[in-house]
Amino acid sequence: MHRLNAWLRRHPMVVDSAWALMVLFPGVLVALDQATPDGYRLSGAARFLAVAVAVILPGLMVVRRRWPDITTAVAVVLGIGQIALVIEPGAASIGYLVFAYTGAAFGRRWTPWLALVASLAAGPLTVWRLMPTSPDAPNDTFAKRVLVAALMTTPFVLCWAWGRLTRVRRAYLIELEDRASRLERERDAQSQVAVAAERARIARELHDVVAHNVSVMIVQADGAAYVMDSSPQQTKEALGTIASTGRQALAEMRRLLGVLRTADTTGEYVPQPGVEELPELLEQVRTAGLPVEFTATGEVRELPRGLELTVYRIVQEALTNVRKHGGPDAHATVAVDFRDGDLEVLVEDDGRGSTREQLATGGTDGLGHGLIGMRERVGMVSGSLDVGPRPGGGFRIRAVLPLKVSK
């Protein structure tokens, strides 16, 4: 039954044809044997029009949904002609009720009002033309004629109101569907924005991993080449550091690229480096040949994972920049200060620092892009970042990260 109902909804003309057949046969039979109000059988043009009405009205019912305006207008013309020729309503006249509904439900702006006027006029016109006054009938009063006209008009008005209600309900459903479609498009757009933001974040992660680990490998490779002949043991240690750093970088890259290949990248990927991994990072940097001092002040406490990752990446990127731009004799200091409402991360070095081009635009060939990514990371947690030359030489990076999200 459900499938049949769905199929009939998709093919409304089939339903309309079935109703039209139910009106056609009794309508034609009644029209062939119909009489005038005086008791004489119809003949000539009147009889032809009665049969035509009995045939045309069901035909209009079949195509009423496809052409509601034309079919309603033709039905009104047929009704006026039937009243003008004093042809009494037959079985086919029930079709006029259908077009009172059709004009209100499916027609354009003017069609519902045409159907309403015709519905209101159906009763009075029928009484006026088909129920002539009779002086010999004492019960034929004006009040009675008004009551009969009202009773004959009521079905038409009810069908028109039903059609109007159907029209409003259909418009409401269309609005709901449009709203649902709009919400779905907005949800898809938000999902795409979230995916793009996540992929951008992963790209920054990939930059940090590659820049840090590759710079360590380059420093170790240069050192191994320098002491290869004089100190084979140091060369062996340097090669071991290069191998372990390369494997770590490869594992990180595989993890990040694996996330990029997945369809759903909105979730967090774990594990994420945090503040507790800073000693390991600093030891790796020292092994690469950069002396680093580390201090932590204030009450050390657990931080949100996103904030811990930001701290780790700031320190990692800052030390990577020191190795790349600080020179061979540079020294660095890392200070983390836990305060009541925020966390300060300060990384300073006594090397050569960065150029103005790298500070403003990130430099050329990808140099300095880490500072841009650092600003984005700090901005994501509503923090502030101060980068620039250090008094007395070198470079300084100072980030202040709020520990409580402002409401």
Side-chain angles (χ1 to χ4, degrees), residues 213 217 239-254:
N213 289 286
M217 294 169 65
L239 292 176
T241 302
I242 291 174
S244 62
T245 305
R247 283 192 291 270
Q248 180 182 355
L250 184 61
E252 287 288 316
M253 289 175 63
R254 284 176 176 172

Side-chain angles (χ1 to χ4, degrees), residues 85-263:
L85 294 178
V86 195
I87 301 175
E88 289 189 350
S93 298
I94 195 174
Y96 292 124
L97 298 175
V98 175
F99 288 102
Y101 169 86
T102 301
F106 306 108
R108 298 179 183 177
R109 287 186 176 180
W110 58 269
T111 308
W113 303 115
L114 173 63
L116 178 60
V117 171
S119 298
L120 293 174
L125 290 178
T126 302
V127 171
W128 172 53
R129 291 292 294 172
L130 302 180
M131 295 178 61
T133 58
S134 176
D136 300 332
N139 295 329
D140 189 12
T141 62
F142 178 77
K144 178 182 178 181
R145 299 176 72 84
V146 171
L147 178 60
V148 172
L151 291 176
M152 296 182 68
T153 301
T154 300
F156 291 93
V157 175
L158 291 177
C159 288
W160 185 90
W162 184 18
R164 198 66 179 176
L165 180 63
T166 302
R167 187 189 194 95
V168 172
R169 182 174 178 271
R170 187 172 65 251
Y172 176 70
L173 292 177
I174 292 175
E175 177 64 24
L176 288 181
E177 292 176 357
D178 181 67
R179 182 181 178 185
S181 177
R182 220 168 37 244
L183 291 175
E184 186 176 356
R185 289 195 300 269
E186 291 177 1
R187 183 188 61 197
D188 293 341
Q190 291 174 357
S191 298
Q192 292 176 4
V193 170
V195 169
E198 183 70 10
R199 289 177 179 269
R201 187 164 74 91
I202 294 173
R204 290 194 299 269
E205 293 287 311
L206 191 60
H207 167 271
D208 294 340
V209 169
V210 172
H212 172 72
N213 289 286
V214 172
S215 63
V216 170
M217 294 169 65
I218 292 174
V219 171
Q220 292 292 333
D222 290 341
Y226 182 76
V227 299
M228 182 179 296
D229 297 330
S230 60
S231 181
Q233 182 61 29
Q234 288 186 351
T235 302
K236 184 177 180 181
E237 293 176 358
L239 292 176
T241 302
I242 291 174
S244 62
T245 305
R247 283 192 291 270
Q248 180 182 355
L250 184 61
E252 287 288 316
M253 289 175 63
R254 284 176 176 172
R255 179 175 64 86
L256 294 174
L257 292 176
V259 174
L260 284 173
R261 291 191 188 100
T262 58

